[in-house]
Amino acid sequence: MAGSSGYGLLKLLQKLSDEEFQRFKELLREEPEKFKLKPISWTKIENSSKESLVTLLNTHYPGQAWNMMLSLFLQVNREDLSIMAQKKKRHKQTKYKKFMKTTFERIWTLETNTHIPDRNYHLIVEVQYKALQEIFDSESEPVTAIVAGTTGEGKTTFLRKAMLDWASGVLLQNRFQYVFFFSVFSLNNTTELSLAELISSTLPESSETVDDILSDPKRILFILDGFDYLKFDLELRTNLCNDWRKRLPTQIVLSSLLQKIMLPGCSLLLELGQISVPKIRHLLKYPRVITMQGFSERSVEFYCMSFFDNQRGIEVAENLRNNEVLHLCSNPYLCWMFCSCLKWQFDREEEGYFKAKTDAAFFTNFMVSAFKSTYAHSPSKQNRARLKTLCTLAVEGMWKELFVFDSEDLRRNGISESDKAVWLKMQFLQTHGNHTVFYHPTLQSYFAAMFYFLKQDKDICVPVIGSIPQLLGNMYARGQTQWLQLGTFLFGLINEQVAALLQPCFGFIQPIYVRQEIICYFKCLGQQECNEKLERSQTLFSCLRDSQEERFVRQVVDLLEEITVDISSSDVLSVTAYALQKSSKLKKLHLHIQKTVFSEIYCPDHCKTRTSIGKRRNTAEYWKTLCGIFCNLYVLDLDSCQFNKRAIQDLCNSMSPTPTVPLTAFKLQSLSCSFMADFGDGSLFHTLLQLPHLKYLNLYGTYLSMDVTEKLCAALRCSACRVEELLLGKCGISSKACGIIATSLINSKVKHLSLVENPLKNKGVMSLCEMLKDPSCVLQSLMLSYCCLTFIACGHLYEALLSNKHLSLLDLGSNFLEDTGVNLLCEALKDPNCTLKELWLPGCFLTSQCCEEISAVLICNRNLKTLKLGNNNIQDTGVRQLCEALSHPNCNLECLGLDLCEFTSDCCKDLALALTTCKTLNSLNLDWKTLDHSGLVVLCEALNHKRCNLKMLGLDKSAFSEESQTLLQDVEKKNNNLNILHHPWFEAERNKRGTRLVWNSRN
């Protein structure tokens, strides 16, 4: 029998007469179909007693037995039993609610730091509370909702109040029968569990079984809190499971629940902070968002008056209006800290209000004030020793990704029960069920950072605690976002004024050791041989500003010659401008600026948040400040930057000479403006193309209207223009615009032109060929892949190739040239006057019929060094013809591309012969080809031959069998000059074409 659920069912069945029970069993034969369940065989049902039938129901229909019983009782005219069953079910649900109410009343009273009356709290979160009701009350289907916001803005507090209000019967009563609240970071040390076990851990005795509870998932809400501090990777797409009874790795259970593989009918309410939003949000199906926006100035005043008595609260609120900490107090947790700090100060009868510009100064004031109130007369040495135990616990937890501590964790770090009682009183720690946590996770980060300032050489080494370089590597090179708050405190505590705050209680703390460690780390990071790269520069800039140490900031930024920044907000723009204006060594800057940054300044209708005029003005100033450094750069990459007219004008002004910055002072050599939403009216070109050192201009993915194209061409014709590489891929250039560009380049210095992914068509190429035939044209490389060309374009190119003496590279990839077009090109290539060295023809719809002409070119043309024929249907016949040409003593080809070509392993003998007879061939691309092992053996024998000069073979080794992979690895070991690579030419081809990927932080 299935536990308490089975016992309840049996008591009800026993009230049926024998005749009713027989009718009940007959109806049970058909009932499962209504629930879309597989029926139990009639033999089993017919021979069952009441006891054994309950076992059958719970075994075959776990979670559905009660619902099925309710339906069958009505069908045998026993409505009284159906009502009785419903009452039992409701009684058990009520019991759970009462248990949760008691639990969360305790949590709300002891573990939640609002310290103001509930009615006042409801007024502060009125907008979010209303949004929560609307999201769930307006939907009958499953909903996923996110409570989002920065650290300390009250997300957890809000969710605890929602849970308490549901259990108290005032929120979402008609929507959910069960609401489960889990702090997911408490599972960090749990490697395996089932969802059933997790739910059972919250149930009081005599509750419904998990099977019964989960029988109606639409009536269930999971509130999940603490994702910022969860150590598991939830970005899983495989091995997910729909079985909530099955024990699985913790991350699989959580991922399956979030992605609606497990219990797809339930609803979710998730707390996601800045760290977890980018990791979790994309896994969710159509999430609704509730944003905790912190306290307004009015809410801060209201909170202060609620925290203190009215008169004292009015005084505090009045002082805050003129205090620099006001902006920090918009964060509810910091507002509570500020009020707590003042309360201790008032209790000590101290006058004055503390001031703090940074988080580190704020937390230090709070910590010192708490120590003064508790250990006012203790020697600094004792205070320092006490503080160190707490800091060691905090930093050990950070390195272990542990935020919930048991008594052994405290004991191991020297914290006794009496110490714990003091930390609880000082509100550094708080209880979390039978465990202990820091009063707020941010406080744990602060004490963890403080550890590195208290650490001494004589201290016993704790292996799990990493060094400062390891910490910085996790933050900036490996992008582990859980360390960012700790890093902010680490830099902030470097400040001499903050160190001075600590001295009265803890003695002299010298931050020079930490400062030197940081500088040493970034010095190593800036060296070319370093394997790590700076991944989160915007976070570094924020930390540098928090240090408030001018000399230190300059020392760090001057160690970095190349930086990539993702500017997602006005605040990020502010810290970027602050840091980079202090750099004198920066040479390469890669910027991505999101739309919201400039919409805050110029287009408030497009911005989700209302931003004050003052803030918009400040943001404009930040941008001007950042533009001020561009004249000192060698490389500027504006990747997917969302500008508008005024922002472009500021950029243009920054590139224009002034009395203090003459034209000769500009160092810019390379400028990329890819995927720009608005390039203005094109006036910027006149400014840019007069820069004396600018040689490279890439506008890939930026739409150029006809008017803008004309202004670009006018600037190109200017004698001051020194651009040699012009990359205009995916710019929406038409045949007509192509003609204007071609005319402008005849007397220009441009040697490399990329027009890939533009609808030039044959007419556009005709204009380019006229340019190539002009003796003044110095073009050496022309990239025309994906330009909607046919064999007709090859007729125009035929004439150009015969008359042009400079063109060495022609890319015609992914155009519909067919054999006819390539045969025309071959006629030109056979001519001794043709100087072309590289011809790219991948994906041109070629067959074996053109290979005879190509082979003839390979034998007679002494200039052609590279031929790319990938992704063409040349078949075995075509490959054999090419191999015969390669074996000819007159063949000078060095690189041959046959990747993705249609041919079989039968060609391996021909390829092997070519490899051992062609003296010049050093690069052969067979990527994306999976050759038979027997064919590969033949090829490898040739690769090992002393007459084989190959240095690069394009193959995806991972696509082969283990036996074949071993064979290829042996070849590489024997032949030190040979590299076998997947995607061997990808980067080189992308650079030549100027193509870019849509922005992400790792591009």
Side-chain angles (χ1 to χ4, degrees):
M1 193 176 295
S4 60
S5 175
Y7 179 69
L9 290 174
L10 178 59
K11 287 184 71 175
L12 293 167
L13 279 180
Q14 285 174 339
K15 296 181 182 293
L16 293 175
S17 66
D18 291 343
E19 185 180 340
E20 288 170 335
F21 182 55
Q22 185 59 35
R23 175 67 179 148
F24 184 97
K25 288 198 288 186
E26 289 170 359
L27 290 167
L28 182 57
R29 295 174 68 180
E30 309 297 330
E31 194 67 16
E33 291 182 14
K34 298 178 184 178
F35 291 85
K36 298 180 179 179
L37 298 170
K38 188 177 179 180
I40 305 170
S41 71
W42 171 243
T43 306
K44 289 183 179 179
I45 294 174
E46 187 179 28
N47 297 325
S48 294
S49 64
K50 291 175 180 178
E51 290 87 346
S52 58
L53 187 62
V54 169
T55 303
L56 271 178
L57 286 169
N58 277 318
T59 302
H60 284 78
Y61 310 125
Q64 293 288 356
W66 273 93
N67 294 331
M68 208 173 286
M69 291 277 279
L70 292 173
S71 174
L72 291 170
F73 284 146
L74 291 174
Q75 293 178 61
V76 297
N77 296 318
R78 290 300 303 266
E79 186 177 354
D80 59 320
L81 294 181
S82 180
I83 292 170
M84 192 181 301
Q86 290 179 56
K87 283 182 179 179
K88 283 179 178 288
K89 197 173 179 73
R90 278 197 297 271
H91 173 70
K92 290 181 177 183
Q93 291 167 0
T94 303
K95 193 166 186 177
Y96 173 75
K97 268 191 177 180
K98 286 181 179 178
F99 180 70
M100 284 295 108
K101 182 181 178 183
T102 303
T103 301
F104 275 84
E105 278 177 343
R106 180 181 58 78
I107 290 172
W108 186 255
T109 304
L110 300 177
E111 298 181 21
T112 308
N113 48 16
T114 57
H115 298 282
I116 59 173
D118 281 5
R119 64 181 181 277
N120 294 355
Y121 175 74
H122 269 291
L123 287 172
I124 289 172
V125 296
E126 184 178 7
V127 172
Q128 290 79 13
Y129 201 83
K130 186 178 179 182
L132 178 67
Q133 291 174 304
E134 288 176 351
I135 285 171
F136 287 105
D137 282 340
S138 63
E139 297 280 350
S140 58
E141 294 302 308
V143 176
T144 297
I146 295 169
V147 177
T150 56
T151 301
E153 287 196 332
K155 302 183 293 297
T156 296
T157 301
F158 178 76
L159 292 179
R160 286 174 174 177
K161 192 69 176 73
M163 183 68 187
L164 177 58
D165 285 353
W166 173 80
S168 301
V170 296
L171 179 68
L172 305 177
Q173 294 306 291
N174 297 325
R175 184 73 166 84
F176 299 114
Q177 292 175 345
Y178 282 91
V179 178
F180 298 102
F181 190 111
F182 299 110
S183 294
V184 293
F185 64 77
S186 64
L187 302 175
N188 276 351
N189 281 357
T190 304
T191 56
E192 196 176 79
L193 80 166
S194 69
L195 184 61
E197 290 172 347
L198 193 59
I199 291 171
S200 296
S201 67
T202 68
L203 298 175
E205 290 184 11
S206 304
S207 296
E208 283 191 280
T209 64
V210 175
D211 282 345
D212 292 333
I213 290 169
L214 299 184
S215 64
D216 190 4
K218 285 187 179 180
R219 305 282 280 168
I220 295 171
L221 172 66
F222 289 96
I223 300 177
L224 304 177
D225 165 62
F227 283 98
D228 273 7
Y229 307 98
L230 184 68
K231 73 177 182 181
F232 298 115
D233 175 16
L234 300 185
E235 297 184 72
L236 303 171
R237 298 292 187 181
T238 57
N239 299 322
L240 301 182
C241 181
N242 62 2
D243 188 350
W244 45 265
R245 301 175 192 83
K246 191 172 182 180
R247 282 183 66 85
L248 297 162
T250 303
Q251 63 264 43
I252 290 180
V253 173
L254 292 176
S255 292
S256 301
L257 185 63
L258 292 179
Q259 296 181 57
K260 292 301 183 78
I261 304 298
M262 191 177 288
L263 290 183
C266 72
S267 291
L268 303 173
L269 180 57
L270 314 175
E271 179 268 319
L272 298 183
Q274 289 173 301
I275 294 171
S276 50
V277 162
K279 296 179 180 179
I280 304 294
R281 182 166 179 169
H282 68 280
L283 302 176
L284 309 175
K285 293 184 178 179
Y286 313 112
R288 307 282 295 276
V289 181
I290 301 167
T291 303
M292 305 301 292
Q293 295 179 338
F295 286 168
S296 63
E297 289 186 19
R298 187 175 177 184
S299 294
V300 172
E301 293 178 10
F302 185 64
Y303 184 91
C304 292
M305 287 187 283
S306 301
F307 190 94
F308 297 97
D309 61 76
N310 277 344
Q311 187 55 44
R312 177 71 81 177
I314 291 169
E315 288 177 21
V316 171
E318 185 66 32
N319 177 272
L320 264 177
R321 291 192 191 101
N322 304 310
N323 194 322
E324 60 194 2
V325 302
L326 178 59
H327 75 283
L328 293 172
C329 285
S330 64
N331 182 302
Y333 177 62
L334 297 188
C335 192
W336 167 80
M337 288 179 73
F338 177 76
C339 291
S340 300
C341 199
L342 284 184
K343 186 175 183 301
W344 292 326
Q345 203 170 306
F346 295 149
D347 291 344
R348 297 193 302 269
E349 298 182 351
E350 291 180 7
E351 295 298 323
Y353 292 80
F354 78 79
K355 295 183 178 182
K357 291 182 179 180
T358 66
D359 286 352
F362 200 103
F363 275 71
T364 300
N365 272 293
F366 171 78
M367 190 265 289
V368 168
S369 186
F371 258 87
K372 283 182 178 178
S373 294
T374 308
Y375 295 115
H377 304 295
S378 294
S380 60
K381 191 174 181 180
Q382 285 185 15
N383 284 340
R384 192 176 180 125
R386 290 188 183 103
L387 177 62
K388 198 168 183 179
T389 62
L390 193 63
C391 292
T392 308
L393 176 72
V395 77
E396 181 183 279
M398 292 297 295
W399 283 99
K400 286 183 173 181
E401 297 182 89
L402 188 65
F403 302 94
V404 180
F405 303 96
D406 56 29
S407 56
E408 173 55 26
D409 295 321
L410 271 62
R411 186 202 61 76
R412 187 177 59 257
N413 286 289
I415 299 175
S416 64
E417 284 298 316
S418 59
D419 292 332
K420 175 185 170 182
V422 175
W423 299 138
L424 291 170
K425 181 183 175 183
M426 292 168 74
Q427 295 174 316
F428 292 168
L429 299 178
Q430 65 176 348
T431 56
H432 184 82
N434 296 324
H435 295 79
T436 304
V437 296
F438 280 84
Y439 210 64
H440 192 276
T442 313
L443 199 58
Q444 181 174 346
S445 295
Y446 171 78
F447 284 120
M450 181 63 73
F451 167 85
Y452 291 99
F453 291 85
L454 300 175
K455 186 181 176 185
Q456 294 178 327
D457 292 338
K458 64 181 181 180
D459 290 345
I460 298 171
C461 179
V462 181
V464 73
I465 299 175
S467 64
I468 289 176
Q470 287 173 310
L471 167 61
L472 296 172
N474 286 342
M475 288 171 57
Y476 300 124
R478 292 180 283 281
Q480 295 180 7
T481 48
Q482 67 269 28
W483 297 97
L484 299 183
Q485 188 65 60
L486 192 159
T488 300
F489 287 128
L490 190 75
F491 279 72
L493 289 166
I494 282 172
N495 184 275
E496 297 288 351
Q497 293 178 346
V498 175
L501 292 172
L502 296 164
Q503 190 168 349
C505 274
F506 307 103
F508 183 67
I509 291 177
Q510 177 57 268
I512 190 169
Y513 163 75
V514 176
R515 187 185 291 122
Q516 288 172 342
E517 285 279 287
I518 292 172
I519 291 171
C520 184
Y521 171 77
F522 283 104
K523 188 175 182 179
C524 293
L525 195 66
Q527 294 172 353
Q528 288 187 346
E529 59 270 20
C530 181
N531 293 325
E532 296 184 342
K533 288 186 177 181
L534 180 61
E535 296 282 357
R536 302 187 61 86
S537 55
Q538 59 270 31
T539 306
L540 170 62
F541 300 153
S542 180
C543 291
L544 287 171
R545 188 173 66 175
D546 265 33
S547 76
Q548 297 286 303
E549 290 283 345
E550 192 87 3
R551 182 169 173 270
F552 171 69
V553 174
R554 291 186 186 278
Q555 284 179 301
V556 172
V557 294
D558 275 348
L559 294 169
L560 303 169
E561 293 188 353
E562 182 173 3
I563 290 176
T564 300
V565 195
D566 179 9
I567 297 179
S568 56
S569 68
S570 176
D571 290 337
V572 176
L573 180 60
S574 166
V575 297
T576 302
Y578 165 82
L580 294 187
Q581 69 174 329
K582 301 183 188 308
S583 172
S584 61
K585 302 290 178 67
L586 185 64
K587 292 181 180 178
K588 299 179 182 180
L589 178 60
H590 309 273
L591 279 183
H592 168 53
I593 302 179
Q594 296 183 22
K595 184 177 181 179
T596 52
V597 177
F598 289 107
S599 66
E600 287 178 356
I601 305 174
Y602 310 110
C603 311
D605 291 342
H606 294 151
C607 188
K608 293 181 181 177
T609 59
R610 293 185 178 179
T611 313
S612 67
I613 294 172
K615 185 174 181 181
R616 295 200 300 271
R617 190 181 299 118
N618 288 342
T619 308
E621 291 303 315
Y622 303 148
W623 173 238
K624 286 181 181 178
T625 301
L626 185 57
C627 286
I629 73 162
F630 293 167
C631 64
N632 297 316
L633 298 173
Y634 290 81
V635 175
L636 176 60
D637 183 1
L638 302 174
D639 192 349
S640 303
C641 290
Q642 305 294 310
F643 290 130
N644 70 350
K645 290 178 182 177
R646 183 175 168 186
I648 291 220
Q649 186 58 52
D650 290 337
L651 176 62
C652 186
N653 293 341
S654 73
M655 296 293 185
S656 301
T658 65
T660 56
V661 186
L663 195 59
T664 53
F666 287 84
K667 301 172 183 175
L668 197 66
Q669 298 174 3
S670 171
L671 175 65
S672 296
C673 302
S674 55
F675 294 108
M676 278 177 56
D678 188 347
F679 205 79
D681 62 0
S683 301
L684 182 59
F685 290 126
H686 175 73
T687 303
L688 290 174
L689 271 58
Q690 69 172 338
L691 296 178
H693 302 291
L694 188 68
K695 300 289 181 68
Y696 177 97
L697 179 63
N698 188 346
L699 303 178
Y700 182 82
T702 297
Y703 176 72
L704 303 178
S705 67
M706 185 63 75
D707 289 342
V708 172
T709 302
E710 287 176 349
K711 288 185 178 178
L712 168 63
C713 292
L716 287 167
R717 283 191 291 267
C718 179
S719 60
C721 176
R722 292 172 174 79
V723 171
E724 295 182 359
E725 294 185 68
L726 182 63
L727 301 108
L728 304 176
K730 207 180 179 71
C731 290
I733 295 169
S734 64
S735 300
K736 184 179 179 181
C738 182
I740 298 170
I741 292 169
T743 304
S744 71
L745 295 182
I746 289 174
N747 291 301
S748 76
K749 297 178 178 65
V750 174
K751 296 178 181 178
H752 180 88
L753 175 64
S754 175
L755 294 170
V756 301
E757 300 175 47
N758 286 301
L760 306 183
K761 301 184 179 177
N762 298 327
K763 189 176 179 181
V765 170
M766 183 170 67
S767 301
L768 292 171
C769 289
E770 291 302 313
M771 170 195 72
L772 288 169
K773 287 188 278 187
D774 192 292
S776 301
C777 177
V778 295
L779 200 68
Q780 295 175 1
S781 306
L782 179 59
M783 320 303 292
L784 298 175
S785 61
Y786 292 98
C787 286
C788 307
L789 310 182
T790 70
F791 71 92
I792 295 172
C794 296
H796 302 303
L797 287 164
Y798 168 82
E799 296 177 9
L801 289 172
L802 292 179
S803 58
N804 186 283
K805 302 302 179 187
H806 299 287
L807 193 70
S808 61
L809 167 58
L810 178 61
D811 171 22
L812 298 172
S814 301
N815 286 297
F816 194 61
L817 305 184
E818 301 179 285
D819 296 335
T820 306
V822 172
N823 287 338
L824 284 169
L825 294 175
C826 287
E827 287 303 311
L829 289 166
K830 289 176 189 175
D831 192 292
N833 293 320
C834 181
T835 58
L836 198 69
K837 294 180 180 178
E838 293 191 50
L839 180 60
W840 298 7
L841 298 171
C844 288
F845 300 89
L846 309 182
T847 71
S848 58
Q849 292 181 20
C850 68
C851 289
E852 185 176 350
E853 288 297 314
I854 293 174
S855 298
V857 169
L858 296 182
I859 293 171
C860 71
N861 188 310
R862 310 290 291 177
N863 295 316
L864 192 67
K865 305 298 181 185
T866 297
L867 178 63
K868 297 186 178 182
L869 297 172
N871 196 21
N872 283 300
N873 186 23
I874 61 173
Q875 298 291 335
D876 290 11
T877 304
V879 173
R880 288 193 178 105
Q881 288 174 329
L882 293 171
C883 288
E884 285 178 19
L886 287 170
S887 300
H888 195 283
N890 290 341
C891 179
N892 280 351
L893 198 71
E894 295 176 1
C895 299
L896 176 62
L898 298 176
D899 44 308
L900 272 174
C901 282
E902 295 289 336
F903 62 87
T904 70
S905 297
D906 291 344
C907 294
C908 287
K909 289 182 181 179
D910 303 279
L911 288 167
L913 180 62
L915 289 174
T916 55
T917 54
C918 184
K919 296 178 181 179
T920 57
L921 191 69
N922 58 49
S923 182
L924 175 63
N925 192 356
L926 302 178
D927 210 10
W928 301 103
K929 294 295 298 178
T930 309
L931 304 170
D932 294 343
H933 182 72
S934 57
L936 201 60
V937 169
V938 174
L939 200 62
C940 287
E941 286 175 359
L943 292 170
N944 286 324
H945 198 283
K946 62 181 179 181
R947 288 204 300 268
C948 178
N949 296 312
L950 207 67
K951 294 179 180 177
M952 193 290 298
L953 175 64
L955 273 181
D956 180 7
K957 287 182 283 190
S958 65
F960 289 86
S961 66
E962 278 190 39
E963 185 182 16
S964 295
Q965 287 185 46
T966 303
L967 184 63
L968 290 168
Q969 288 164 4
D970 289 342
V971 168
E972 280 187 293
K973 287 177 184 177
K974 290 176 183 176
N975 190 342
N976 294 328
N977 295 321
L978 178 66
N979 289 309
I980 301 177
L981 305 171
H982 188 33
H983 301 302
W985 295 335
F986 178 76
E987 280 300 319
E989 289 177 350
R990 204 176 82 165
N991 291 336
K992 285 283 187 181
R993 289 169 173 162
T995 56
R996 305 289 293 269
L997 300 176
V998 175
W999 169 270
N1000 71 59
S1001 60
R1002 295 179 182 273
N1003 281 359

